[in-house]
Amino acid sequence: MGKKLERVMKGDRGGTTSATSQETSDVDSTKTPEPYNCTGDFEADYVELCKRAGLSEVPQVVQRPHRPEPPPPPDPKEKLEEPTSPTPVNQEEAPPTTYTTSNKFDYFRPKVQVELEKPDDKKSMTEIYIRGWKVDQCYMDVFRLCLPVADKLHTIDLWNVGLTDNTLAQFSAVASQCLNLRTIRLDGNPVPGEGFHQLIGEDSMIVSMSLRSCKVSDKGAELIGKALSTVKTRNQSLCVLNLNSNLITDVGAQHLARGLRMNRTLLILSVANNAIGDDGAKHLGEVLSRFALTHEEVVERRKLISEKGTPDIRISPIPRRTDSRDRPGSQSSSSQLDKSVVKSGRASSKAKKDKKDDKGKGKDDKRKDPHRG
C-alpha cells in the first residue's frame, strides 16, 4: 500500500513539473523578441534577420568570384635553367591557373554575392549581386533593414529575381534610403505595372540604371519619359539609361524624346533591339539637335529662373510711365534710373569744365602774340 502511494505521489509531481514547463514555454513563445539593431556587417545582419523572419532556407553570403590573374610573362634577361634530371613520363600536369572549379551543383545554389572594399573588413561592402533566385516579400523586408546601414554600398544588381509591383515599389523605397547608391541593374525582371520610373524621380541620386530584357512597353516608356523631365519637373542625376531588348515602338520613342526636351543630364541612352522605326528615330534625332521651346516651356522656364533668383537676369533700365497700369517699377529699376541721372550730370559738368579750359587757352594765346587779330 505504501509503495502504491509513493508511485502515485511521484506521478503527480512529474505531472506538475511538465505542466509548469509547458506554461513557461508558452510564455516564451508569446513574448515578442527585442528589435534587432543592424551593425553594418551585412552578412551578420542578413543572417540574423532571416532567422527572425522564420525563413527556412537562407542563401549564403559569399564574395564575388573573380577571374584569376594570369602569371606574369617571363623575363627575357633571365636564363632558363635546364633540368638536370629527366622528367618522369607519368607525372600529372599542374592544375590550370586561368579558371577555378567548384562543386557540381554549387554554381546553381542561391547566393548573395558581395564586393568588399577591404577583404578583411566585412563592413566595407560596396556592391551586391543576386542572380537567378526569387526575391519575395520576406527577403525584401530583410533588405529594407540591412541595406540602408551599408554606408559604402553604391551598386545593386538584381538579375532575374522575379520582381513584382509590390516588391519593386518596396525596393525603390529601400534605394532612396541608401545614401551612396548610384548604380542599379534590374535586367531580366518584367513587371506587369512597369513602375521602374519610381527609381528615377526628381529627388533620385541614381546615376546609372539598366533595364535590359524587362519587357518595357510604350506604357513604361511614357512613365520613364515623364520621370526624365516634364515642363515643371526633371531628373538631375541620371546619366546612363539602358533600355536594350524591350518592347518599345515609335510611340514609346516619342515619349522618351518628349522626356529629353527639358533634361540636360542624361548622356547615354540605349534603345537597341526594340521595335523603333524611322518615325521614332526621327523624334529622338530632333531632340539631339537644337529645337525651339513651346510657349508653355518658355513660361515655366522663366518661372523657374525667377524663383531661383538667377543673377544673370537683369531688369531693363527703361523707366515706366506713371499712368501705366502695369505693376510699379521695383527698387532695382529706380536705382538704375538714379545711376543714369548721376552719369548724365557728371558728363555735363565735364563738358562745362572742358569749355572753360578752351576759353582760358584762347586768352593765353592772345597775351603771348599782341600783333594777332
Side-chain angles (χ1 to χ4, degrees), residues 125-139:
M125 182 183 68
T126 57
E127 303 177 21
I128 179 171
Y129 296 83
I130 298 177
R131 310 179 70 80
W133 56 274
K134 186 175 180 60
V135 178
D136 56 7
Q137 192 70 36
C138 296
Y139 287 106

Side-chain angles (χ1 to χ4, degrees), residues 155-174:
T155 300
I156 296 179
D157 190 330
L158 306 180
W159 178 80
N160 193 19
V161 296
L163 291 179
T164 61
D165 292 331
N166 294 332
T167 53
L168 179 59
Q170 191 169 1
F171 174 72
S172 62
V174 173

Side-chain angles (χ1 to χ4, degrees), residues 117 123-128 147-156 174-184 203-208 237:
E117 185 179 10
K123 293 185 179 181
S124 63
M125 182 183 68
T126 57
E127 303 177 21
I128 179 171
L147 286 183
V149 187
D151 298 334
K152 298 183 179 181
L153 179 64
H154 59 72
T155 300
I156 296 179
V174 173
S176 63
Q177 297 176 6
C178 299
L179 301 180
N180 294 321
L181 184 62
R182 297 295 181 267
T183 303
I184 290 179
D203 299 331
S204 173
M205 297 300 294
I206 303 301
V207 177
S208 176
S237 60

Side-chain angles (χ1 to χ4, degrees), residues 13 30 48 102 143 158 167 207 214-215 230 244 263 268 322:
R13 290 175 183 174
T30 56
E48 180 63 26
S102 60
F143 293 144
L158 306 180
T167 53
V207 177
C214 290
K215 295 185 179 180
T230 60
N244 194 346
N263 186 288
I268 300 174
T322 55

Side-chain angles (χ1 to χ4, degrees), residues 34-85:
E34 296 181 359
Y36 179 76
N37 295 324
C38 295
T39 60
D41 184 352
F42 174 75
E43 184 176 359
D45 297 339
Y46 166 76
V47 173
E48 180 63 26
L49 291 173
C50 286
K51 289 181 180 179
R52 289 175 175 246
L55 298 175
S56 57
E57 296 182 1
V58 180
Q60 185 181 2
V61 178
V62 297
Q63 292 192 23
R64 192 183 182 201
H66 293 278
R67 179 179 298 176
E69 297 180 359
D75 191 358
K77 295 181 180 180
E78 295 182 358
K79 295 182 180 180
L80 297 176
E81 297 180 357
E82 296 182 359
T84 55
S85 60

Side-chain angles (χ1 to χ4, degrees), residues 331-344:
Q331 183 66 27
S332 58
S333 61
S334 62
S335 62
Q336 289 283 352
L337 184 61
D338 295 339
K339 289 180 181 179
S340 61
V341 172
V342 171
K343 287 182 179 179
S344 61

Side-chain angles (χ1 to χ4, degrees), residues 21-312:
S21 62
Q22 185 176 1
E23 290 177 359
T24 306
S25 62
D26 293 340
V27 172
D28 294 339
S29 61
T30 56
K31 185 179 179 181
T32 56
E34 296 181 359
Y36 179 76
N37 295 324
C38 295
T39 60
D41 184 352
F42 174 75
E43 184 176 359
D45 297 339
Y46 166 76
V47 173
E48 180 63 26
L49 291 173
C50 286
K51 289 181 180 179
R52 289 175 175 246
L55 298 175
S56 57
E57 296 182 1
V58 180
Q60 185 181 2
V61 178
V62 297
Q63 292 192 23
R64 192 183 182 201
H66 293 278
R67 179 179 298 176
E69 297 180 359
D75 191 358
K77 295 181 180 180
E78 295 182 358
K79 295 182 180 180
L80 297 176
E81 297 180 357
E82 296 182 359
T84 55
S85 60
T87 56
V89 180
N90 298 328
Q91 184 180 4
E92 295 183 358
E93 295 183 359
T97 58
T98 56
Y99 63 91
T100 58
T101 58
S102 60
N103 192 12
K104 184 176 181 181
F105 300 105
D106 186 60
Y107 180 80
F108 301 99
R109 290 174 182 169
K111 295 185 183 65
V112 180
Q113 299 179 356
V114 297
E115 284 276 2
L116 301 178
E117 185 179 10
K118 299 178 181 179
D120 298 334
D121 187 6
K122 292 187 177 182
K123 293 185 179 181
S124 63
M125 182 183 68
T126 57
E127 303 177 21
I128 179 171
Y129 296 83
I130 298 177
R131 310 179 70 80
W133 56 274
K134 186 175 180 60
V135 178
D136 56 7
Q137 192 70 36
C138 296
Y139 287 106
M140 198 59 71
D141 291 336
V142 172
F143 293 144
R144 177 177 58 86
L145 297 175
C146 60
L147 286 183
V149 187
D151 298 334
K152 298 183 179 181
L153 179 64
H154 59 72
T155 300
I156 296 179
D157 190 330
L158 306 180
W159 178 80
N160 193 19
V161 296
L163 291 179
T164 61
D165 292 331
N166 294 332
T167 53
L168 179 59
Q170 191 169 1
F171 174 72
S172 62
V174 173
S176 63
Q177 297 176 6
C178 299
L179 301 180
N180 294 321
L181 184 62
R182 297 295 181 267
T183 303
I184 290 179
R185 303 188 191 99
L186 302 179
D187 302 337
N189 289 285
V191 179
E194 302 185 23
F196 301 105
H197 65 284
Q198 304 173 63
L199 295 164
I200 52 172
E202 189 176 5
D203 299 331
S204 173
M205 297 300 294
I206 303 301
V207 177
S208 176
M209 185 170 71
S210 179
L211 302 175
R212 297 184 303 171
S213 303
C214 290
K215 295 185 179 180
V216 178
S217 63
D218 295 336
K219 174 187 174 183
E222 181 180 3
L223 297 174
I224 292 174
K226 291 181 179 179
L228 290 176
S229 75
T230 60
V231 178
K232 297 183 179 180
T233 62
R234 59 176 176 172
N235 178 281
Q236 299 182 7
S237 60
L238 189 67
C239 297
V240 180
L241 178 59
N242 192 347
L243 298 175
N244 194 346
S245 302
N246 284 290
L247 307 176
I248 303 174
T249 64
D250 291 340
V251 178
Q254 187 173 357
H255 291 307
L256 293 174
R258 191 177 296 113
L260 293 175
R261 288 181 64 88
M262 304 298 289
N263 186 288
R264 296 293 181 271
T265 310
L266 190 67
L267 301 177
I268 300 174
L269 172 63
S270 175
V271 289
N273 198 16
N274 281 274
I276 299 176
D278 295 340
D279 192 18
K282 178 183 176 182
H283 284 92
L284 291 173
E286 290 176 353
V287 180
L288 298 179
S289 59
R290 292 189 176 184
F291 56 88
L293 297 177
T294 62
H295 176 71
E296 185 180 6
E297 291 173 345
V298 172
V299 171
E300 292 298 331
R301 188 169 179 81
R302 287 180 178 176
K303 286 182 180 179
L304 182 63
I305 292 174
S306 63
E307 289 174 359
K308 289 184 177 180
T310 307
D312 296 335

